[in-house]
Coordinates of all heavy atoms in Angstrom, one line a residue:
M1 N 104.3 105.7 126.0 CA 103.0 106.1 125.4 C 102.6 107.5 125.8 O 102.6 107.8 127.0 CB 101.9 105.1 125.8 CG 102.0 103.7 125.2 SD 101.8 103.7 123.4 CE 102.4 102.0 123.1
T2 N 102.4 108.3 124.8 CA 102.0 109.7 125.1 C 100.5 109.9 125.2 O 100.0 110.9 125.7 CB 102.6 110.6 124.1 OG1 102.2 110.2 122.8 CG2 104.1 110.6 124.1
G3 N 99.8 108.9 124.6 CA 98.3 109.0 124.6 C 97.8 109.8 123.4 O 96.6 109.9 123.2
G4 N 98.8 110.4 122.6 CA 98.4 111.1 121.4 C 98.0 110.2 120.3 O 98.2 109.0 120.3
K5 N 97.5 110.8 119.2 CA 97.1 110.0 118.0 C 98.3 109.8 117.1 O 99.1 110.7 116.9 CB 96.0 110.7 117.2 CG 94.7 110.7 117.9 CD 93.6 110.7 116.9 CE 92.2 110.4 117.5 NZ 91.1 110.4 116.6
K6 N 98.5 108.5 116.7 CA 99.6 108.2 115.8 C 99.1 108.4 114.4 O 97.9 108.3 114.1 CB 100.0 106.7 116.0 CG 100.7 106.5 117.3 CD 101.1 105.0 117.4 CE 101.8 104.7 118.6 NZ 103.2 105.2 118.6
C7 N 100.0 108.7 113.5 CA 99.7 108.8 112.0 C 99.4 107.4 111.5 O 99.7 106.4 112.1 CB 100.8 109.4 111.3 SG 102.2 108.4 111.0
I8 N 98.8 107.3 110.3 CA 98.4 106.0 109.8 C 99.6 105.2 109.5 O 99.5 103.9 109.7 CB 97.5 106.2 108.5 CG1 97.0 104.9 108.0 CG2 98.3 106.9 107.4 CD1 95.9 104.4 108.9
G9 N 100.7 105.8 109.2 CA 101.9 105.0 108.9 C 102.4 104.3 110.2 O 102.7 103.1 110.1
C10 N 102.4 105.0 111.3 CA 102.8 104.4 112.6 C 101.8 103.3 113.0 O 102.3 102.3 113.5 CB 102.8 105.5 113.7 SG 104.2 106.6 113.5
K11 N 100.5 103.5 112.7 CA 99.6 102.4 113.0 C 99.8 101.2 112.2 O 99.8 100.1 112.8 CB 98.1 102.9 112.8 CG 97.6 103.9 113.8 CD 96.2 104.3 113.6 CE 95.8 105.3 114.6 NZ 94.5 106.0 114.2
I12 N 100.1 101.4 110.9 CA 100.3 100.2 110.1 C 101.6 99.5 110.5 O 101.6 98.2 110.6 CB 100.5 100.6 108.6 CG1 99.1 101.1 108.0 CG2 101.0 99.5 107.7 CD1 99.2 101.8 106.7
V13 N 102.6 100.2 110.9 CA 103.9 99.6 111.3 C 103.6 98.8 112.6 O 104.0 97.7 112.8 CB 104.9 100.7 111.6 CG1 106.0 100.2 112.5 CG2 105.5 101.2 110.3
A14 N 102.8 99.4 113.5 CA 102.5 98.8 114.8 C 101.7 97.5 114.6 O 102.0 96.5 115.2 CB 101.8 99.7 115.7
V15 N 100.7 97.6 113.7 CA 99.9 96.4 113.4 C 100.7 95.3 112.8 O 100.7 94.1 113.3 CB 98.7 96.7 112.5 CG1 98.0 95.5 112.0 CG2 97.7 97.6 113.3
L16 N 101.6 95.6 111.8 CA 102.4 94.6 111.1 C 103.4 94.0 112.1 O 103.6 92.7 112.1 CB 103.1 95.2 109.9 CG 102.2 95.4 108.7 CD1 102.9 96.1 107.6 CD2 101.7 94.0 108.1
A17 N 104.0 94.8 112.9 CA 105.0 94.3 113.8 C 104.3 93.4 114.9 O 104.9 92.4 115.3 CB 105.7 95.5 114.5
G18 N 103.1 93.8 115.3 CA 102.3 93.0 116.2 C 102.0 91.7 115.7 O 102.1 90.6 116.4
I19 N 101.5 91.6 114.4 CA 101.2 90.4 113.7 C 102.4 89.5 113.7 O 102.3 88.3 114.0 CB 100.7 90.6 112.3 CG1 99.3 91.3 112.4 CG2 100.7 89.3 111.5 CD1 98.8 91.8 111.0
G20 N 103.6 90.1 113.4 CA 104.8 89.3 113.3 C 105.2 88.7 114.7 O 105.5 87.5 114.8
A21 N 105.0 89.5 115.7 CA 105.4 89.1 117.0 C 104.4 88.0 117.5 O 104.8 87.0 118.1 CB 105.3 90.3 118.0
L22 N 103.1 88.2 117.2 CA 102.1 87.2 117.6 C 102.4 85.9 116.9 O 102.2 84.8 117.5 CB 100.7 87.7 117.3 CG 100.2 88.7 118.3 CD1 98.8 89.3 117.8 CD2 100.1 88.2 119.7
N23 N 102.7 86.0 115.6 CA 102.9 84.7 114.8 C 104.1 84.0 115.4 O 104.1 82.8 115.5 CB 103.1 85.1 113.3 CG 103.1 83.9 112.4 OD1 102.1 83.1 112.4 ND2 104.2 83.6 111.7
W24 N 105.1 84.8 115.7 CA 106.3 84.2 116.3 C 106.0 83.4 117.6 O 106.4 82.3 117.9 CB 107.3 85.3 116.6 CG 108.7 84.8 116.6 CD1 109.2 83.5 116.6 CD2 109.9 85.7 116.6 NE1 110.6 83.6 116.6 CE2 111.0 84.8 116.6 CE3 110.1 87.0 116.6 CZ2 112.3 85.3 116.6 CZ3 111.4 87.5 116.6 CH2 112.5 86.7 116.6
G25 N 105.1 84.0 118.4 CA 104.6 83.4 119.7 C 103.9 82.1 119.4 O 104.0 81.1 120.1
L26 N 103.0 82.2 118.3 CA 102.2 81.0 118.0 C 103.2 79.8 117.6 O 103.0 78.7 118.0 CB 101.3 81.3 116.8 CG 100.0 82.1 117.1 CD1 99.3 82.4 115.9 CD2 99.1 81.3 118.1
V27 N 104.2 80.2 116.8 CA 105.1 79.1 116.3 C 105.9 78.5 117.6 O 106.0 77.3 117.7 CB 106.2 79.8 115.4 CG1 107.3 78.8 115.1 CG2 105.5 80.2 114.1
T28 N 106.2 79.4 118.5 CA 107.0 78.9 119.6 C 106.2 78.1 120.6 O 106.6 77.0 121.0 CB 107.6 80.2 120.4 OG1 108.4 80.9 119.5 CG2 108.4 79.7 121.6
F29 N 105.0 78.6 120.9 CA 104.2 78.0 122.0 C 103.2 76.9 121.5 O 102.9 76.0 122.2 CB 103.5 79.0 122.8 CG 104.4 80.0 123.5 CD1 104.4 81.3 123.2 CD2 105.3 79.5 124.5 CE1 105.3 82.2 123.9 CE2 106.1 80.3 125.2 CZ 106.1 81.7 124.8
L30 N 102.6 77.2 120.3 CA 101.6 76.3 119.8 C 102.0 75.5 118.6 O 101.2 74.7 118.1 CB 100.3 77.1 119.5 CG 99.7 77.9 120.7 CD1 98.5 78.7 120.2 CD2 99.2 76.9 121.8
H31 N 103.2 75.8 118.1 CA 103.8 75.1 116.9 C 102.8 75.3 115.7 O 102.6 74.3 115.0 CB 104.0 73.6 117.2 CG 104.9 73.4 118.4 ND1 106.3 73.7 118.3 CD2 104.7 73.0 119.7 CE1 106.8 73.5 119.5 NE2 105.9 73.1 120.4
R32 N 102.2 76.5 115.7 CA 101.4 76.8 114.5 C 101.9 78.1 113.9 O 102.2 79.0 114.6 CB 99.9 77.0 114.9 CG 99.2 75.7 115.2 CD 97.8 76.0 115.6 NE 97.1 74.8 115.8 CZ 96.4 74.1 114.9 NH1 96.4 74.6 113.7 NH2 95.8 73.0 115.2
N33 N 102.1 78.1 112.6 CA 102.5 79.3 111.9 C 101.3 79.8 111.1 O 100.9 79.2 110.1 CB 103.7 79.0 110.9 CG 104.3 80.2 110.4 OD1 103.6 81.2 110.1 ND2 105.6 80.3 110.3
L34 N 100.7 80.9 111.6 CA 99.5 81.5 111.0 C 99.8 81.9 109.5 O 99.0 81.7 108.7 CB 99.1 82.7 111.8 CG 97.6 83.0 111.7 CD1 96.7 81.9 112.3 CD2 97.3 84.3 112.5
V35 N 101.0 82.5 109.3 CA 101.3 83.0 108.0 C 101.4 81.8 106.9 O 100.7 81.9 105.9 CB 102.6 83.8 108.0 CG1 102.9 84.3 106.6 CG2 102.4 85.0 108.9
T36 N 102.2 80.8 107.2 CA 102.3 79.7 106.3 C 101.0 78.9 106.3 O 100.7 78.3 105.3 CB 103.5 78.8 106.6 OG1 103.4 78.4 107.9 CG2 104.8 79.6 106.4
G37 N 100.3 78.9 107.4 CA 99.0 78.1 107.5 C 98.0 78.7 106.6 O 97.2 78.0 106.0
L38 N 98.0 80.0 106.5 CA 97.0 80.7 105.7 C 97.4 80.8 104.2 O 96.6 80.7 103.3 CB 96.7 82.1 106.2 CG 95.9 82.2 107.5 CD1 95.8 83.6 108.0 CD2 94.5 81.6 107.3
L39 N 98.7 81.1 104.0 CA 99.2 81.4 102.7 C 100.0 80.4 102.1 O 100.4 80.4 100.9 CB 100.0 82.7 102.8 CG 99.2 84.0 103.4 CD1 100.2 85.1 103.6 CD2 98.1 84.3 102.4
G40 N 100.4 79.3 102.8 CA 101.2 78.2 102.3 C 102.7 78.5 102.6 O 103.2 79.6 102.6
E41 N 103.4 77.4 102.7 CA 104.8 77.4 103.0 C 105.7 77.8 101.8 O 105.5 77.2 100.8 CB 105.3 76.1 103.6 CG 106.8 76.2 104.0 CD 106.9 75.7 105.5 OE1 106.0 75.0 105.9 OE2 107.8 76.2 106.1
G42 N 106.5 78.9 101.9 CA 107.4 79.2 100.8 C 106.7 79.9 99.6 O 107.3 80.0 98.6
T43 N 105.4 80.2 99.8 CA 104.7 80.9 98.6 C 105.1 82.3 98.6 O 105.6 82.9 99.5 CB 103.2 80.8 98.8 OG1 102.8 81.4 100.0 CG2 102.8 79.3 98.8
A44 N 104.8 82.9 97.4 CA 105.2 84.4 97.2 C 104.4 85.2 98.2 O 104.9 86.1 98.8 CB 104.8 84.8 95.8
A45 N 103.1 84.8 98.5 CA 102.3 85.6 99.4 C 102.8 85.6 100.8 O 102.9 86.6 101.5 CB 100.8 85.0 99.4
S46 N 103.3 84.4 101.3 CA 103.8 84.4 102.6 C 105.1 85.1 102.7 O 105.4 85.7 103.7 CB 104.0 82.9 103.1 OG 105.0 82.2 102.3
K47 N 105.9 85.1 101.6 CA 107.2 85.8 101.6 C 106.9 87.3 101.7 O 107.6 88.1 102.3 CB 108.0 85.5 100.4 CG 108.7 84.2 100.5 CD 109.4 83.8 99.2 CE 110.0 82.4 99.3 NZ 110.5 82.0 98.0
V48 N 105.9 87.8 101.0 CA 105.5 89.2 101.0 C 105.1 89.6 102.5 O 105.6 90.6 103.0 CB 104.3 89.5 100.1 CG1 103.7 90.9 100.4 CG2 104.8 89.4 98.6
V49 N 104.3 88.7 103.1 CA 103.9 89.1 104.5 C 105.1 89.1 105.4 O 105.3 90.0 106.2 CB 102.9 88.0 105.0 CG1 102.7 88.2 106.5 CG2 101.6 88.1 104.3
Y50 N 106.0 88.1 105.3 CA 107.2 88.1 106.1 C 108.1 89.4 105.9 O 108.6 90.0 106.8 CB 108.1 86.9 105.8 CG 107.6 85.6 106.6 CD1 107.4 84.4 105.9 CD2 107.3 85.7 107.9 CE1 107.0 83.3 106.5 CE2 106.8 84.6 108.6 CZ 106.7 83.4 107.9 OH 106.2 82.3 108.5
G51 N 108.2 89.7 104.6 CA 108.9 90.9 104.2 C 108.4 92.2 104.9 O 109.1 93.0 105.4
L52 N 107.0 92.3 104.8 CA 106.3 93.5 105.4 C 106.5 93.5 106.9 O 106.8 94.6 107.5 CB 104.8 93.4 105.0 CG 104.5 93.8 103.6 CD1 103.0 93.6 103.4 CD2 104.8 95.3 103.3
V53 N 106.4 92.3 107.5 CA 106.6 92.2 109.0 C 108.0 92.6 109.3 O 108.2 93.3 110.3 CB 106.3 90.8 109.5 CG1 106.8 90.6 110.9 CG2 104.8 90.6 109.4
A54 N 109.0 92.2 108.5 CA 110.4 92.5 108.8 C 110.6 94.0 108.7 O 111.3 94.6 109.6 CB 111.3 91.8 107.8
V55 N 110.1 94.6 107.6 CA 110.2 96.1 107.5 C 109.5 96.8 108.6 O 110.1 97.8 109.2 CB 109.6 96.5 106.1 CG1 109.6 98.0 106.0 CG2 110.5 96.0 105.0
A56 N 108.3 96.3 108.9 CA 107.6 97.0 110.0 C 108.3 96.9 111.4 O 108.3 97.8 112.2 CB 106.2 96.4 110.1
G57 N 108.9 95.7 111.6 CA 109.7 95.5 112.8 C 110.9 96.5 112.9 O 111.1 97.1 113.9
A58 N 111.5 96.7 111.8 CA 112.7 97.6 111.7 C 112.2 99.0 112.0 O 112.8 99.8 112.7 CB 113.4 97.5 110.4
M59 N 111.0 99.4 111.4 CA 110.5 100.7 111.6 C 110.0 100.9 113.0 O 110.1 102.0 113.6 CB 109.4 101.0 110.6 CG 109.9 101.1 109.1 SD 108.6 101.3 107.9 CE 108.1 103.0 108.3
A60 N 109.5 99.8 113.6 CA 109.0 99.9 115.0 C 110.2 100.2 115.9 O 110.1 100.9 116.9 CB 108.3 98.6 115.4
L61 N 111.3 99.5 115.6 CA 112.5 99.8 116.4 C 113.0 101.2 116.2 O 113.3 101.9 117.2 CB 113.7 98.9 115.9 CG 113.7 97.4 116.4 CD1 114.8 96.6 115.7 CD2 113.8 97.4 117.9
L62 N 112.9 101.7 115.0 CA 113.3 103.1 114.7 C 112.4 104.1 115.4 O 112.8 105.2 115.8 CB 113.4 103.4 113.2 CG 114.5 102.7 112.5 CD1 114.4 103.0 111.0 CD2 115.8 103.2 113.0
S63 N 111.1 103.7 115.6 CA 110.1 104.6 116.2 C 110.4 104.9 117.6 O 109.9 105.8 118.2 CB 108.7 104.0 116.0 OG 108.5 103.0 117.0
V64 N 111.2 104.0 118.2 CA 111.7 104.2 119.6 C 112.4 105.6 119.7 O 112.3 106.3 120.7 CB 112.6 103.1 120.1 CG1 113.3 103.5 121.4 CG2 111.9 101.8 120.2
F65 N 113.0 106.0 118.6 CA 113.8 107.2 118.6 C 113.0 108.4 118.0 O 113.5 109.4 117.7 CB 115.1 107.0 117.7 CG 115.9 105.9 118.2 CD1 115.9 104.7 117.6 CD2 116.7 106.1 119.4 CE1 116.7 103.7 118.1 CE2 117.4 105.0 119.9 CZ 117.5 103.8 119.2
N66 N 111.6 108.2 117.9 CA 110.7 109.2 117.4 C 111.1 109.9 116.1 O 111.2 111.1 116.0 CB 110.6 110.3 118.5 CG 109.9 109.8 119.7 OD1 109.2 108.8 119.7 ND2 110.1 110.5 120.8
L67 N 111.4 109.0 115.1 CA 111.8 109.5 113.8 C 110.7 110.0 113.0 O 110.8 110.8 112.1 CB 112.6 108.4 113.1 CG 114.0 108.1 113.7 CD1 114.6 107.0 112.9 CD2 114.9 109.3 113.7
C68 N 109.5 109.5 113.3 CA 108.3 109.9 112.5 C 107.9 111.3 112.8 O 107.9 111.6 114.0 CB 107.2 108.9 112.7 SG 105.8 109.3 111.6
P69 N 107.6 112.1 111.8 CA 107.2 113.5 112.1 C 106.0 113.6 113.1 O 105.9 114.5 113.9 CB 106.7 114.0 110.8 CG 107.5 113.2 109.8 CD 107.7 111.9 110.4
C70 N 105.1 112.6 113.0 CA 103.9 112.7 113.9 C 104.3 112.5 115.4 O 103.6 113.0 116.2 CB 102.9 111.6 113.5 SG 103.2 109.9 114.2
Q71 N 105.4 111.8 115.6 CA 105.8 111.7 117.0 C 106.6 112.9 117.5 O 106.5 113.3 118.6 CB 106.7 110.5 117.1 CG 106.0 109.2 116.8 CD 106.9 108.0 116.6 OE1 108.0 108.1 116.0 NE2 106.5 106.8 117.1
R72 N 107.3 113.6 116.5 CA 108.0 114.8 116.9 C 107.1 115.9 117.3 O 107.4 116.7 118.1 CB 108.9 115.2 115.7 CG 110.2 114.4 115.6 CD 111.2 115.2 114.8 NE 112.1 114.2 114.2 CZ 112.3 114.1 112.9 NH1 111.6 114.8 112.0 NH2 113.1 113.2 112.4
Q73 N 105.9 115.9 116.6 CA 105.0 117.0 116.8 C 104.0 116.7 117.9 O 102.9 117.3 118.0 CB 104.2 117.3 115.5 CG 105.1 117.9 114.4 CD 104.6 117.7 113.0 OE1 103.4 117.3 112.9 NE2 105.4 117.9 112.0
G74 N 104.3 115.7 118.7 CA 103.4 115.3 119.8 C 102.2 114.6 119.3 O 101.2 114.6 120.0
C75 N 102.2 114.1 118.0 CA 101.1 113.3 117.5 C 99.8 114.1 117.4 O 98.8 113.6 117.6 CB 101.0 112.0 118.2 SG 102.3 110.9 118.0
E76 N 99.9 115.4 117.3 CA 98.7 116.2 117.1 C 98.1 116.0 115.8 O 98.8 116.0 114.8 CB 99.0 117.7 117.3 CG 99.4 118.1 118.7 CD 98.3 118.0 119.6 OE1 97.1 118.3 119.3 OE2 98.5 117.6 120.8
P77 N 96.8 115.6 115.7 CA 96.1 115.4 114.4 C 96.1 116.7 113.7 O 95.6 117.8 114.2 CB 94.7 114.9 114.8 CG 94.5 115.2 116.2 CD 95.9 115.4 116.9
K78 N 96.5 116.7 112.4 CA 96.5 117.9 111.6 C 95.2 118.0 110.7 O 94.7 117.0 110.3 CB 97.7 117.9 110.6 CG 99.0 118.1 111.3 CD 99.3 119.6 111.4 CE 100.4 119.9 112.5 NZ 101.7 119.7 112.0
K79 N 94.7 119.2 110.6 CA 93.4 119.3 109.8 C 93.6 120.2 108.6 O 94.5 121.1 108.7 CB 92.3 119.9 110.7 CG 91.7 118.8 111.6 CD 90.5 119.2 112.3 CE 90.0 118.1 113.1 NZ 88.9 118.5 114.0
Ligands
LIG1 ZN1 103.8 108.6 112.6

């Protein structure tokens, strides 16, 4: 963590990846799936959420390598 501000894209990626990780934890420890609990099992809505979480997880992995421009520029907010 650099303590700088992340761009909105990085924030969305972090939030979605976090939701996916938390849901995974809920399934493992509490045997509750928040996504299918809220949106239904196998519904289009739940598939969209899983898809977004998967994409966000991949992007979060890539962010380790500072591929986003906001990370290369030290996350300085542009005006
Ligand atoms: Zn960014």
Side-chain angles (χ1 to χ4, degrees):
M1 291 290 168
T2 56
K5 286 208 168 183
K6 288 177 179 290
C7 72
I8 187 71
C10 285
K11 282 182 184 165
I12 291 171
V13 164
V15 166
L16 282 173
I19 288 171
L22 285 175
N23 192 57
W24 209 348
L26 283 175
V27 171
T28 302
F29 297 116
L30 300 176
H31 305 288
R32 281 179 181 272
N33 190 321
L34 206 63
V35 175
T36 57
L38 289 173
L39 302 173
E41 185 122 28
T43 61
S46 64
K47 282 177 186 169
V48 166
V49 170
Y50 280 132
L52 284 173
V53 165
V55 170
M59 289 176 74
L61 279 175
L62 291 175
S63 78
V64 170
F65 304 102
N66 291 342
L67 292 179
C68 185
C70 81
Q71 294 168 323
R72 284 201 203 116
Q73 292 157 13
C75 294
E76 290 294 322
K78 289 271 163 82
K79 282 188 180 170

